Amino acid sequence: MKSLGIVGAGQLGVMMILEGRKLNIEFSVIGSDPQAPASRIADKFYHDKEYREFVDHCDIITPEFEHVDRQILEYAEKQGKLFPDTKSLDLKLERHREKLYLRDIGIPVVDFYVAENASAALSMSEKFDESIIKTSKGGYDGKGQFHAKKGDSAELPGDQVYVVEKFIPFDFEASIIVARTKDGRIFFNQPSYNYNQDGILLYNYAPCDDYGMREKASILVEKLNYVGVMGIEFFIKDGKSIVNEFAPRVHNSGHHTLSGSTISQFEQHIRCLLDLPMHEPGLLTHSGIINVLGREIDDSLAGRILSVPGTLLYNYGKKALPRRKVGHVNVTASSNQELLSRLLEVKRIIYPERV
């Protein structure tokens, strides 16, 4: 029996474990909380300080999130067990490094500047009529982002490195899930339309036209010599795709594959890591998801959600905090029109007033 170790114990780890059970794999999880979602269902749980025992026990190590204990990743990489590698993961620790790398390898991104402090960031933002100022460290799901217009006196949280991006009035946002095996074969899921609110994914649905997303995804995973699943987010403007950011792991925008595809992103990731046979994922039906943000999923809410045809509820078992992802709902339908109608019906149930 193969043993797969997951660094981190959140909902992505849970879904990876659930999708891998049918492959008869042992799952170990390392983290700080034995009651975290993935900790509760793993075969073995290790505290962070037990990282050597964790790595030595497992055949392969993979993180469920970029911002995890560095010493675990370094030790696993020295043993030849870490996928994806630290090169891919390190680019995500500081946003400016990710942006510079994408630009350096010829992938289109929005115009941007790197500022060493808050004063420089505000000065650079004046070069654009409208901009998004982002902290280089720690910003995700809309955190650490500030909208500025020329002449504004925006307040930034202290001196640190910032990325100042030109705001573009994009037509919509989209993403693609790409998988690359150890021998360099690349597979794509159907791209999805994404609807983000205040920088966090609210819902998405597939299929979506390509707009050049596959080509850009191929360049990125090839240049990184990447192994596993990656989620890449795009702005779509005038029929062309511009990379916003990538995630070196399974991704929220790929959860629709749990119900709508021949193979989920989680099983794809596992197969890539463990050298199991892979094939091009097929879309079985129109599918999407809606995130449950910041509210408890009690029996009443669960019942009302599941009364909508084509729904499947994932409750992460996390405490409800503002804007926190505590679950998601998979939704399937026979057409995009029917799918969007069902997604919006579920949205009204979860958020009767506002998100």
Side-chain angles (χ1 to χ4, degrees), residues 151-179:
D152 280 355
S153 55
E155 292 187 10
L156 300 179
D159 280 342
Q160 55 185 301
V161 178
Y162 292 89
V163 176
V164 182
E165 298 181 359
K166 179 181 180 179
F167 175 79
I168 60 169
F170 52 82
D171 298 323
F172 59 91
E173 295 178 85
S175 62
I176 195 167
I177 302 298
V178 56

Side-chain angles (χ1 to χ4, degrees), residues 115-126 156 158-160 162 164:
E116 295 299 321
N117 53 53
S119 176
L122 292 172
S123 177
M124 290 173 179
S125 73
E126 289 296 303
L156 300 179
D159 280 342
Q160 55 185 301
Y162 292 89
V164 182

Side-chain angles (χ1 to χ4, degrees), residues 241-303:
S241 57
I242 303 167
V243 172
N244 179 25
E245 62 180 349
F246 71 89
R249 52 174 168 81
V250 290
H251 190 253
N252 192 184
S253 68
H255 292 354
H256 69 88
T257 63
L258 287 162
S259 292
S261 297
T262 54
I263 178 173
S264 74
Q265 63 165 340
F266 300 96
E267 186 174 341
Q268 280 182 281
H269 190 61
I270 293 167
R271 290 197 192 190
C272 287
L273 304 188
L274 299 182
D275 295 315
L276 295 172
M278 276 284 292
H279 58 79
E280 191 74 14
L283 192 69
L284 295 172
T285 186
H286 296 262
S287 65
I289 68 110
I290 181 165
N291 281 321
V292 183
L293 306 173
R295 65 165 303 180
E296 180 185 356
I297 305 174
D298 57 21
D299 290 345
S300 173
L301 179 59

Side-chain angles (χ1 to χ4, degrees), residues 42 51 55 65 91-92 122 197 216 228 277 282 307:
Y51 70 92
V55 172
F65 192 55
L91 290 173
K92 293 298 298 182
L122 292 172
Q197 184 162 316
K216 296 175 180 67
S307 69

Side-chain angles (χ1 to χ4, degrees), residues 12 16 61-66 73 77 82-92 98 101-102 105 107 176-189 216-232 245-251 265-266 268-275 278:
L12 297 178
M16 200 181 308
I61 305 295
T62 193
E64 65 140 22
F65 192 55
E66 306 87 82
L73 303 180
E77 190 159 62
L82 181 68
F83 297 95
D85 61 19
T86 54
K87 177 183 178 181
S88 302
L89 299 169
D90 285 353
L91 290 173
K92 293 298 298 182
E98 175 187 10
Y101 182 79
L102 291 169
I105 64 174
I107 291 179
I176 195 167
I177 302 298
V178 56
R180 186 175 182 272
T181 61
K182 292 179 181 177
D183 61 0
R185 290 174 297 132
I186 299 174
F187 302 89
F188 300 99
N189 285 280
K216 296 175 180 67
S218 294
I219 293 171
L220 179 55
V221 295
E222 286 284 10
K223 290 288 187 181
L224 288 170
N225 195 27
Y226 190 84
V227 175
V229 159
M230 175 187 287
I232 309 175
E245 62 180 349
F246 71 89
R249 52 174 168 81
V250 290
H251 190 253
Q265 63 165 340
F266 300 96
Q268 280 182 281
H269 190 61
I270 293 167
R271 290 197 192 190
C272 287
L273 304 188
L274 299 182
D275 295 315
M278 276 284 292

